[in-house]
Amino acid sequence: MKITAIQTTEIRIPLRTPFKTALRTVDSVHDVLVRVQTDTGEAGYGEAPPTAVITGDTIGSIRNAIEEFIAPALVGMDVEDLDCVMTRLDRCILKNTSAKAAVDMAIYDLYAKSCGKPLYRVLGGAKKEIETDLTISVNPIPQMVADAHEAVNRGFNILKIKVGKEGLKDVARLRAIREAVGPGVVIRVDANQGWEPKQAVRIITALEDAGVAPELVEQPVDAHDLAGLAFVTSNVCTPILADESVFGPADALEVLRRHAADLINIKLMKAGGIWQAQKICAIAETCGVQCMIGCMLESKIAVSAAAHLAAARSVVTRADLDGPSLCSEDPYTGGPVFEGSRILMNEAPGLGITAVPGFED
């Protein structure tokens, strides 16, 4: 199964409501789609979001990296020679992790199809169903409470609350949400690098004292401040999840070596795809640390790839794969079923996605 062409296009899908964090506000998914074609007539699909404030990638940079560097390096290679393909993908251009991730997942889609199995079974097949949280964007407290109520009514039992813009005022919004949804709903807090280390300790301690009982707090401080992250981790009871501090395996190793976080959030767009993400899983498992699989503002292709990885590895105990649930429509055919908080893995070969807009020919 030799690669004959790698093509890109773009897709735009409106969100149900604007997505607001401490870093940005977005009202639609506008991503790059990838199709990898082979001499057997089989095709694999991938996707990459332009998350410039986190990965540095834009629509233009993603497409250029794929069309001018990655495609020329991979065309002619055999998909089943997976190690060589992924090594060349990693080395053909520095950084550009989102572009690499899109091609990586398309290659894995094809590789699993060559095995005649769904990707999650090829990768390990630990579980057939995943539970995801749903993100509640930063807004005035009444709006966040209303959004939390709506999420629970849609069947979500885990809420990821975006904060980080207003310091100690975040305690009031989280306390209001806890009072509104009750003790049975899991609350995850994501500060998106919005706090200083000592400030983070004060806020998290106040959350603990107020009975908010967050399951975890994600990336409370600047991504590069590992000393600050370690300070927060060692001075609060609530588990700390490293997100933007961990892109690839080397980052994960350093964070765990310094005891800078209790948990690791793996995202394909940070890692550069499934190939590197599996290495992070192995490092975390060796260190006895659990992982979350997360996503950026991605639609069903990229989130399906992440779901297959999450389903394959027992070290992945949490999922933040709500991208399709945030979208107002699903333009794809096939793939895992996103049913409220439940993600049900498909049994079709590869990712299971059979029709993608822009690649109908």
Side-chain angles (χ1 to χ4, degrees), residues 249-263:
D251 295 334
L253 195 60
E254 182 64 9
V255 164
L256 297 180
R257 185 188 71 80
R258 296 175 64 161
H259 303 286
D262 301 295
L263 305 161

Side-chain angles (χ1 to χ4, degrees), residues 314-353:
S314 58
V315 73
V316 178
T317 58
R318 297 165 176 82
D320 173 31
L321 298 176
D322 59 352
S325 299
L326 298 174
C327 292
S328 62
E329 59 189 59
D330 175 11
Y332 309 108
T333 302
V337 176
F338 291 80
E339 191 177 85
S341 65
R342 301 167 68 210
I343 303 175
L344 308 175
M345 302 312 299
N346 58 283
E347 294 303 315
L351 296 179
I353 293 174

Side-chain angles (χ1 to χ4, degrees), residues 224-253:
H224 302 293
D225 187 5
L226 295 190
L229 189 63
F231 174 81
V232 177
T233 299
S234 63
N235 282 282
V236 299
C237 295
T238 301
I240 301 301
L241 174 71
D243 180 12
E244 290 92 344
S245 291
V246 176
F247 270 60
D251 295 334
L253 195 60

Side-chain angles (χ1 to χ4, degrees), residues 100-164:
K100 290 177 180 178
V103 176
D104 166 285
M105 67 182 69
I107 298 293
Y108 269 101
D109 187 16
L110 286 165
Y111 183 77
K113 286 174 178 175
S114 75
C115 298
K117 296 180 180 180
L119 179 57
Y120 84 98
R121 291 197 181 278
V122 173
L123 295 176
K127 42 193 176 286
K128 296 180 68 173
E129 182 176 328
I130 304 164
E131 183 178 15
T132 181
D133 57 27
L134 187 73
T135 299
I136 306 300
S137 291
V138 176
N139 277 304
I141 291 176
Q143 182 64 54
M144 294 185 74
V145 168
D147 290 345
H149 268 304
E150 181 186 1
V152 172
N153 290 336
R154 290 175 61 193
F156 289 90
N157 300 309
I158 309 171
L159 304 181
K160 180 177 176 178
I161 313 299
K162 294 289 189 179
V163 293

Side-chain angles (χ1 to χ4, degrees), residues 5-6 64-77 88 92:
I6 300 178
N64 184 262
I66 293 170
E67 294 166 4
E68 300 297 327
F69 293 88
I70 295 173
L74 299 189
V75 168
M77 296 192 77
R88 187 173 293 183
C92 71

Side-chain angles (χ1 to χ4, degrees), residues 89-100:
L89 171 61
D90 182 56
R91 294 177 179 176
C92 71
I93 185 172
L94 288 175
K95 301 186 184 298
N96 289 278
T97 53
S98 297
K100 290 177 180 178

Side-chain angles (χ1 to χ4, degrees), residues 44-59:
Y45 297 101
E47 176 189 0
T51 318
V53 294
I54 297 174
T55 63
D57 299 313
T58 65
I59 288 284

